[in-house]
Amino acid sequence: AMTGGTVWIGYVNADGAASQRVLAPVRVEGGFVTGYDHTADEVRTYPLHRITGVAELADDTV
């Protein structure tokens, strides 16, 4: 969120289903990350404890 970069995240929802998201985070606080989810095409908030992995993406990837 501090650099304004876009990241790939691995995420597991409350039902245990895994997914991959492309996220441009804008805020990380209180155990949550909020940002524009390119995969869903909307702003979303994810609990940090459900994120399984993070990788920085190149600017031209999105």
PDB file of all heavy atoms in Angstrom, residues 1-32:
ATOM      1  N   ALA A   1       0.831  -1.193   0.000  1.00  0.00           N
ATOM      2  CA  ALA A   1       0.000   0.000   0.000  1.00  0.00           C
ATOM      3  C   ALA A   1       0.872   1.252   0.000  1.00  0.00           C
ATOM      4  O   ALA A   1       0.517   2.249  -0.606  1.00  0.00           O
ATOM      5  CB  ALA A   1      -0.932  -0.006   1.204  1.00  0.00           C
ATOM      6  N   MET A   2       2.022   1.193   0.650  1.00  0.00           N
ATOM      7  CA  MET A   2       2.892   2.361   0.735  1.00  0.00           C
ATOM      8  C   MET A   2       3.509   2.726  -0.612  1.00  0.00           C
ATOM      9  O   MET A   2       3.720   3.895  -0.902  1.00  0.00           O
ATOM     10  CB  MET A   2       3.993   2.117   1.760  1.00  0.00           C
ATOM     11  CG  MET A   2       3.471   2.088   3.178  1.00  0.00           C
ATOM     12  SD  MET A   2       4.735   1.741   4.402  1.00  0.00           S
ATOM     13  CE  MET A   2       5.786   3.154   4.216  1.00  0.00           C
ATOM     14  N   THR A   3       3.779   1.734  -1.449  1.00  0.00           N
ATOM     15  CA  THR A   3       4.434   2.008  -2.731  1.00  0.00           C
ATOM     16  C   THR A   3       3.442   2.255  -3.859  1.00  0.00           C
ATOM     17  O   THR A   3       3.821   2.716  -4.921  1.00  0.00           O
ATOM     18  CB  THR A   3       5.352   0.842  -3.136  1.00  0.00           C
ATOM     19  OG1 THR A   3       4.555  -0.326  -3.357  1.00  0.00           O
ATOM     20  CG2 THR A   3       6.400   0.569  -2.069  1.00  0.00           C
ATOM     21  N   GLY A   4       2.175   1.915  -3.647  1.00  0.00           N
ATOM     22  CA  GLY A   4       1.177   2.100  -4.686  1.00  0.00           C
ATOM     23  C   GLY A   4       1.226   1.056  -5.771  1.00  0.00           C
ATOM     24  O   GLY A   4       0.581   1.192  -6.793  1.00  0.00           O
ATOM     25  N   GLY A   5       1.972  -0.021  -5.545  1.00  0.00           N
ATOM     26  CA  GLY A   5       2.096  -1.080  -6.542  1.00  0.00           C
ATOM     27  C   GLY A   5       0.939  -2.058  -6.510  1.00  0.00           C
ATOM     28  O   GLY A   5       0.140  -2.083  -5.581  1.00  0.00           O
ATOM     29  N   THR A   6       0.850  -2.841  -7.550  1.00  0.00           N
ATOM     30  CA  THR A   6      -0.170  -3.886  -7.650  1.00  0.00           C
ATOM     31  C   THR A   6       0.460  -5.214  -7.273  1.00  0.00           C
ATOM     32  O   THR A   6       1.605  -5.491  -7.627  1.00  0.00           O
ATOM     33  CB  THR A   6      -0.730  -3.944  -9.081  1.00  0.00           C
ATOM     34  OG1 THR A   6      -1.286  -2.662  -9.400  1.00  0.00           O
ATOM     35  CG2 THR A   6      -1.812  -4.994  -9.219  1.00  0.00           C
ATOM     36  N   VAL A   7      -0.296  -6.043  -6.548  1.00  0.00           N
ATOM     37  CA  VAL A   7       0.213  -7.324  -6.085  1.00  0.00           C
ATOM     38  C   VAL A   7      -0.750  -8.451  -6.439  1.00  0.00           C
ATOM     39  O   VAL A   7      -1.944  -8.231  -6.633  1.00  0.00           O
ATOM     40  CB  VAL A   7       0.456  -7.329  -4.553  1.00  0.00           C
ATOM     41  CG1 VAL A   7       1.551  -6.352  -4.164  1.00  0.00           C
ATOM     42  CG2 VAL A   7      -0.813  -7.031  -3.781  1.00  0.00           C
ATOM     43  N   TRP A   8      -0.200  -9.628  -6.533  1.00  0.00           N
ATOM     44  CA  TRP A   8      -0.981 -10.856  -6.637  1.00  0.00           C
ATOM     45  C   TRP A   8      -1.104 -11.383  -5.216  1.00  0.00           C
ATOM     46  O   TRP A   8      -0.137 -11.351  -4.456  1.00  0.00           O
ATOM     47  CB  TRP A   8      -0.236 -11.867  -7.505  1.00  0.00           C
ATOM     48  CG  TRP A   8      -0.796 -13.259  -7.394  1.00  0.00           C
ATOM     49  CD1 TRP A   8      -1.737 -13.827  -8.194  1.00  0.00           C
ATOM     50  CD2 TRP A   8      -0.452 -14.257  -6.423  1.00  0.00           C
ATOM     51  NE1 TRP A   8      -2.003 -15.107  -7.776  1.00  0.00           N
ATOM     52  CE2 TRP A   8      -1.221 -15.394  -6.680  1.00  0.00           C
ATOM     53  CE3 TRP A   8       0.423 -14.282  -5.349  1.00  0.00           C
ATOM     54  CZ2 TRP A   8      -1.139 -16.544  -5.926  1.00  0.00           C
ATOM     55  CZ3 TRP A   8       0.506 -15.438  -4.576  1.00  0.00           C
ATOM     56  CH2 TRP A   8      -0.268 -16.550  -4.875  1.00  0.00           C
ATOM     57  N   ILE A   9      -2.316 -11.824  -4.827  1.00  0.00           N
ATOM     58  CA  ILE A   9      -2.475 -12.474  -3.529  1.00  0.00           C
ATOM     59  C   ILE A   9      -3.169 -13.816  -3.700  1.00  0.00           C
ATOM     60  O   ILE A   9      -4.034 -13.980  -4.552  1.00  0.00           O
ATOM     61  CB  ILE A   9      -3.248 -11.610  -2.498  1.00  0.00           C
ATOM     62  CG1 ILE A   9      -4.694 -11.353  -2.926  1.00  0.00           C
ATOM     63  CG2 ILE A   9      -2.519 -10.313  -2.208  1.00  0.00           C
ATOM     64  CD1 ILE A   9      -5.560 -10.732  -1.841  1.00  0.00           C
ATOM     65  N   GLY A  10      -2.744 -14.762  -2.902  1.00  0.00           N
ATOM     66  CA  GLY A  10      -3.470 -15.999  -2.740  1.00  0.00           C
ATOM     67  C   GLY A  10      -4.383 -15.803  -1.554  1.00  0.00           C
ATOM     68  O   GLY A  10      -3.985 -15.209  -0.544  1.00  0.00           O
ATOM     69  N   TYR A  11      -5.623 -16.255  -1.641  1.00  0.00           N
ATOM     70  CA  TYR A  11      -6.618 -15.976  -0.609  1.00  0.00           C
ATOM     71  C   TYR A  11      -7.488 -17.208  -0.385  1.00  0.00           C
ATOM     72  O   TYR A  11      -7.849 -17.901  -1.330  1.00  0.00           O
ATOM     73  CB  TYR A  11      -7.485 -14.794  -1.067  1.00  0.00           C
ATOM     74  CG  TYR A  11      -8.581 -14.425  -0.122  1.00  0.00           C
ATOM     75  CD1 TYR A  11      -8.313 -13.743   1.054  1.00  0.00           C
ATOM     76  CD2 TYR A  11      -9.899 -14.769  -0.377  1.00  0.00           C
ATOM     77  CE1 TYR A  11      -9.313 -13.408   1.939  1.00  0.00           C
ATOM     78  CE2 TYR A  11     -10.904 -14.443   0.495  1.00  0.00           C
ATOM     79  CZ  TYR A  11     -10.617 -13.760   1.659  1.00  0.00           C
ATOM     80  OH  TYR A  11     -11.610 -13.439   2.542  1.00  0.00           O
ATOM     81  N   VAL A  12      -7.807 -17.474   0.883  1.00  0.00           N
ATOM     82  CA  VAL A  12      -8.716 -18.571   1.231  1.00  0.00           C
ATOM     83  C   VAL A  12      -9.908 -17.966   1.959  1.00  0.00           C
ATOM     84  O   VAL A  12      -9.747 -17.300   2.983  1.00  0.00           O
ATOM     85  CB  VAL A  12      -8.015 -19.624   2.127  1.00  0.00           C
ATOM     86  CG1 VAL A  12      -8.988 -20.699   2.550  1.00  0.00           C
ATOM     87  CG2 VAL A  12      -6.831 -20.234   1.397  1.00  0.00           C
ATOM     88  N   ASN A  13     -11.113 -18.183   1.437  1.00  0.00           N
ATOM     89  CA  ASN A  13     -12.297 -17.593   2.064  1.00  0.00           C
ATOM     90  C   ASN A  13     -12.753 -18.411   3.278  1.00  0.00           C
ATOM     91  O   ASN A  13     -12.148 -19.425   3.623  1.00  0.00           O
ATOM     92  CB  ASN A  13     -13.430 -17.403   1.048  1.00  0.00           C
ATOM     93  CG  ASN A  13     -14.054 -18.704   0.574  1.00  0.00           C
ATOM     94  OD1 ASN A  13     -13.885 -19.757   1.163  1.00  0.00           O
ATOM     95  ND2 ASN A  13     -14.792 -18.613  -0.520  1.00  0.00           N
ATOM     96  N   ALA A  14     -13.819 -17.988   3.921  1.00  0.00           N
ATOM     97  CA  ALA A  14     -14.309 -18.631   5.145  1.00  0.00           C
ATOM     98  C   ALA A  14     -14.749 -20.072   4.923  1.00  0.00           C
ATOM     99  O   ALA A  14     -14.767 -20.876   5.856  1.00  0.00           O
ATOM    100  CB  ALA A  14     -15.453 -17.819   5.736  1.00  0.00           C
ATOM    101  N   ASP A  15     -15.099 -20.422   3.692  1.00  0.00           N
ATOM    102  CA  ASP A  15     -15.496 -21.795   3.369  1.00  0.00           C
ATOM    103  C   ASP A  15     -14.310 -22.674   2.998  1.00  0.00           C
ATOM    104  O   ASP A  15     -14.479 -23.853   2.699  1.00  0.00           O
ATOM    105  CB  ASP A  15     -16.506 -21.791   2.218  1.00  0.00           C
ATOM    106  CG  ASP A  15     -17.807 -21.104   2.593  1.00  0.00           C
ATOM    107  OD1 ASP A  15     -18.238 -21.229   3.755  1.00  0.00           O
ATOM    108  OD2 ASP A  15     -18.384 -20.427   1.716  1.00  0.00           O
ATOM    109  N   GLY A  16     -13.115 -22.092   2.958  1.00  0.00           N
ATOM    110  CA  GLY A  16     -11.910 -22.845   2.625  1.00  0.00           C
ATOM    111  C   GLY A  16     -11.583 -22.888   1.143  1.00  0.00           C
ATOM    112  O   GLY A  16     -10.658 -23.576   0.734  1.00  0.00           O
ATOM    113  N   ALA A  17     -12.337 -22.142   0.338  1.00  0.00           N
ATOM    114  CA  ALA A  17     -12.080 -22.118  -1.102  1.00  0.00           C
ATOM    115  C   ALA A  17     -10.938 -21.152  -1.404  1.00  0.00           C
ATOM    116  O   ALA A  17     -10.968 -19.994  -0.991  1.00  0.00           O
ATOM    117  CB  ALA A  17     -13.330 -21.703  -1.863  1.00  0.00           C
ATOM    118  N   ALA A  18      -9.947 -21.633  -2.129  1.00  0.00           N
ATOM    119  CA  ALA A  18      -8.784 -20.817  -2.477  1.00  0.00           C
ATOM    120  C   ALA A  18      -9.030 -20.075  -3.788  1.00  0.00           C
ATOM    121  O   ALA A  18      -9.692 -20.582  -4.691  1.00  0.00           O
ATOM    122  CB  ALA A  18      -7.548 -21.700  -2.599  1.00  0.00           C
ATOM    123  N   SER A  19      -8.496 -18.853  -3.860  1.00  0.00           N
ATOM    124  CA  SER A  19      -8.565 -18.088  -5.097  1.00  0.00           C
ATOM    125  C   SER A  19      -7.311 -17.234  -5.212  1.00  0.00           C
ATOM    126  O   SER A  19      -6.527 -17.131  -4.269  1.00  0.00           O
ATOM    127  CB  SER A  19      -9.814 -17.202  -5.141  1.00  0.00           C
ATOM    128  OG  SER A  19      -9.772 -16.221  -4.127  1.00  0.00           O
ATOM    129  N   GLN A  20      -7.145 -16.653  -6.380  1.00  0.00           N
ATOM    130  CA  GLN A  20      -6.024 -15.752  -6.634  1.00  0.00           C
ATOM    131  C   GLN A  20      -6.611 -14.424  -7.068  1.00  0.00           C
ATOM    132  O   GLN A  20      -7.549 -14.390  -7.862  1.00  0.00           O
ATOM    133  CB  GLN A  20      -5.119 -16.323  -7.722  1.00  0.00           C
ATOM    134  CG  GLN A  20      -4.517 -17.641  -7.341  1.00  0.00           C
ATOM    135  CD  GLN A  20      -3.689 -18.242  -8.461  1.00  0.00           C
ATOM    136  OE1 GLN A  20      -3.493 -17.645  -9.506  1.00  0.00           O
ATOM    137  NE2 GLN A  20      -3.200 -19.437  -8.233  1.00  0.00           N
ATOM    138  N   ARG A  21      -6.088 -13.338  -6.528  1.00  0.00           N
ATOM    139  CA  ARG A  21      -6.601 -12.008  -6.810  1.00  0.00           C
ATOM    140  C   ARG A  21      -5.460 -11.102  -7.255  1.00  0.00           C
ATOM    141  O   ARG A  21      -4.313 -11.316  -6.868  1.00  0.00           O
ATOM    142  CB  ARG A  21      -7.238 -11.380  -5.564  1.00  0.00           C
ATOM    143  CG  ARG A  21      -8.081 -12.299  -4.702  1.00  0.00           C
ATOM    144  CD  ARG A  21      -9.208 -12.962  -5.399  1.00  0.00           C
ATOM    145  NE  ARG A  21     -10.235 -12.012  -5.779  1.00  0.00           N
ATOM    146  CZ  ARG A  21     -11.330 -12.361  -6.454  1.00  0.00           C
ATOM    147  NH1 ARG A  21     -11.512 -13.612  -6.807  1.00  0.00           N
ATOM    148  NH2 ARG A  21     -12.213 -11.459  -6.775  1.00  0.00           N
ATOM    149  N   VAL A  22      -5.774 -10.082  -8.038  1.00  0.00           N
ATOM    150  CA  VAL A  22      -4.825  -9.039  -8.392  1.00  0.00           C
ATOM    151  C   VAL A  22      -5.340  -7.774  -7.715  1.00  0.00           C
ATOM    152  O   VAL A  22      -6.444  -7.301  -8.012  1.00  0.00           O
ATOM    153  CB  VAL A  22      -4.723  -8.859  -9.918  1.00  0.00           C
ATOM    154  CG1 VAL A  22      -3.800  -7.697 -10.251  1.00  0.00           C
ATOM    155  CG2 VAL A  22      -4.208 -10.148 -10.555  1.00  0.00           C
ATOM    156  N   LEU A  23      -4.562  -7.257  -6.772  1.00  0.00           N
ATOM    157  CA  LEU A  23      -5.026  -6.209  -5.877  1.00  0.00           C
ATOM    158  C   LEU A  23      -4.087  -5.007  -5.891  1.00  0.00           C
ATOM    159  O   LEU A  23      -2.867  -5.166  -5.831  1.00  0.00           O
ATOM    160  CB  LEU A  23      -5.110  -6.780  -4.453  1.00  0.00           C
ATOM    161  CG  LEU A  23      -5.722  -5.927  -3.363  1.00  0.00           C
ATOM    162  CD1 LEU A  23      -7.224  -5.776  -3.581  1.00  0.00           C
ATOM    163  CD2 LEU A  23      -5.451  -6.535  -1.999  1.00  0.00           C
ATOM    164  N   ALA A  24      -4.668  -3.806  -5.949  1.00  0.00           N
ATOM    165  CA  ALA A  24      -3.918  -2.561  -5.789  1.00  0.00           C
ATOM    166  C   ALA A  24      -4.279  -2.026  -4.402  1.00  0.00           C
ATOM    167  O   ALA A  24      -5.276  -1.321  -4.242  1.00  0.00           O
ATOM    168  CB  ALA A  24      -4.288  -1.567  -6.872  1.00  0.00           C
ATOM    169  N   PRO A  25      -3.512  -2.398  -3.382  1.00  0.00           N
ATOM    170  CA  PRO A  25      -3.882  -2.024  -2.017  1.00  0.00           C
ATOM    171  C   PRO A  25      -3.739  -0.516  -1.770  1.00  0.00           C
ATOM    172  O   PRO A  25      -2.824   0.123  -2.278  1.00  0.00           O
ATOM    173  CB  PRO A  25      -2.897  -2.803  -1.144  1.00  0.00           C
ATOM    174  CG  PRO A  25      -1.771  -3.173  -2.035  1.00  0.00           C
ATOM    175  CD  PRO A  25      -2.288  -3.182  -3.431  1.00  0.00           C
ATOM    176  N   VAL A  26      -4.683   0.021  -1.000  1.00  0.00           N
ATOM    177  CA  VAL A  26      -4.630   1.430  -0.632  1.00  0.00           C
ATOM    178  C   VAL A  26      -4.513   1.621   0.879  1.00  0.00           C
ATOM    179  O   VAL A  26      -4.085   2.668   1.332  1.00  0.00           O
ATOM    180  CB  VAL A  26      -5.852   2.221  -1.161  1.00  0.00           C
ATOM    181  CG1 VAL A  26      -5.840   2.275  -2.675  1.00  0.00           C
ATOM    182  CG2 VAL A  26      -7.149   1.646  -0.665  1.00  0.00           C
ATOM    183  N   ARG A  27      -4.902   0.597   1.648  1.00  0.00           N
ATOM    184  CA  ARG A  27      -4.849   0.724   3.101  1.00  0.00           C
ATOM    185  C   ARG A  27      -4.658  -0.647   3.737  1.00  0.00           C
ATOM    186  O   ARG A  27      -5.281  -1.623   3.334  1.00  0.00           O
ATOM    187  CB  ARG A  27      -6.138   1.355   3.613  1.00  0.00           C
ATOM    188  CG  ARG A  27      -6.183   1.548   5.103  1.00  0.00           C
ATOM    189  CD  ARG A  27      -7.419   2.265   5.600  1.00  0.00           C
ATOM    190  NE  ARG A  27      -8.639   1.574   5.202  1.00  0.00           N
ATOM    191  CZ  ARG A  27      -9.640   2.147   4.537  1.00  0.00           C
ATOM    192  NH1 ARG A  27      -9.570   3.407   4.175  1.00  0.00           N
ATOM    193  NH2 ARG A  27     -10.713   1.455   4.224  1.00  0.00           N
ATOM    194  N   VAL A  28      -3.779  -0.692   4.733  1.00  0.00           N
ATOM    195  CA  VAL A  28      -3.591  -1.888   5.552  1.00  0.00           C
ATOM    196  C   VAL A  28      -3.695  -1.439   6.998  1.00  0.00           C
ATOM    197  O   VAL A  28      -2.866  -0.659   7.464  1.00  0.00           O
ATOM    198  CB  VAL A  28      -2.217  -2.561   5.306  1.00  0.00           C
ATOM    199  CG1 VAL A  28      -2.061  -3.797   6.181  1.00  0.00           C
ATOM    200  CG2 VAL A  28      -2.045  -2.922   3.834  1.00  0.00           C
ATOM    201  N   GLU A  29      -4.751  -1.896   7.682  1.00  0.00           N
ATOM    202  CA  GLU A  29      -4.921  -1.523   9.084  1.00  0.00           C
ATOM    203  C   GLU A  29      -5.909  -2.463   9.759  1.00  0.00           C
ATOM    204  O   GLU A  29      -6.784  -3.034   9.107  1.00  0.00           O
ATOM    205  CB  GLU A  29      -5.385  -0.073   9.233  1.00  0.00           C
ATOM    206  CG  GLU A  29      -6.758   0.207   8.687  1.00  0.00           C
ATOM    207  CD  GLU A  29      -7.154   1.675   8.805  1.00  0.00           C
ATOM    208  OE1 GLU A  29      -6.318   2.509   9.171  1.00  0.00           O
ATOM    209  OE2 GLU A  29      -8.319   1.979   8.521  1.00  0.00           O
ATOM    210  N   GLY A  30      -5.727  -2.627  11.063  1.00  0.00           N
ATOM    211  CA  GLY A  30      -6.652  -3.424  11.850  1.00  0.00           C
ATOM    212  C   GLY A  30      -6.794  -4.861  11.403  1.00  0.00           C
ATOM    213  O   GLY A  30      -7.843  -5.464  11.572  1.00  0.00           O
ATOM    214  N   GLY A  31      -5.742  -5.411  10.791  1.00  0.00           N
ATOM    215  CA  GLY A  31      -5.793  -6.797  10.343  1.00  0.00           C
ATOM    216  C   GLY A  31      -6.455  -7.008   8.995  1.00  0.00           C
ATOM    217  O   GLY A  31      -6.764  -8.144   8.625  1.00  0.00           O
ATOM    218  N   PHE A  32      -6.674  -5.930   8.250  1.00  0.00           N
ATOM    219  CA  PHE A  32      -7.322  -6.015   6.943  1.00  0.00           C
ATOM    220  C   PHE A  32      -6.535  -5.220   5.914  1.00  0.00           C
ATOM    221  O   PHE A  32      -5.876  -4.239   6.242  1.00  0.00           O
ATOM    222  CB  PHE A  32      -8.747  -5.448   7.000  1.00  0.00           C
ATOM    223  CG  PHE A  32      -9.680  -6.240   7.860  1.00  0.00           C
ATOM    224  CD1 PHE A  32      -9.794  -5.960   9.208  1.00  0.00           C
ATOM    225  CD2 PHE A  32     -10.434  -7.268   7.326  1.00  0.00           C
ATOM    226  CE1 PHE A  32     -10.649  -6.686  10.024  1.00  0.00           C
ATOM    227  CE2 PHE A  32     -11.289  -8.009   8.130  1.00  0.00           C
ATOM    228  CZ  PHE A  32     -11.392  -7.714   9.478  1.00  0.00           C
TER     229      PHE A  32
END
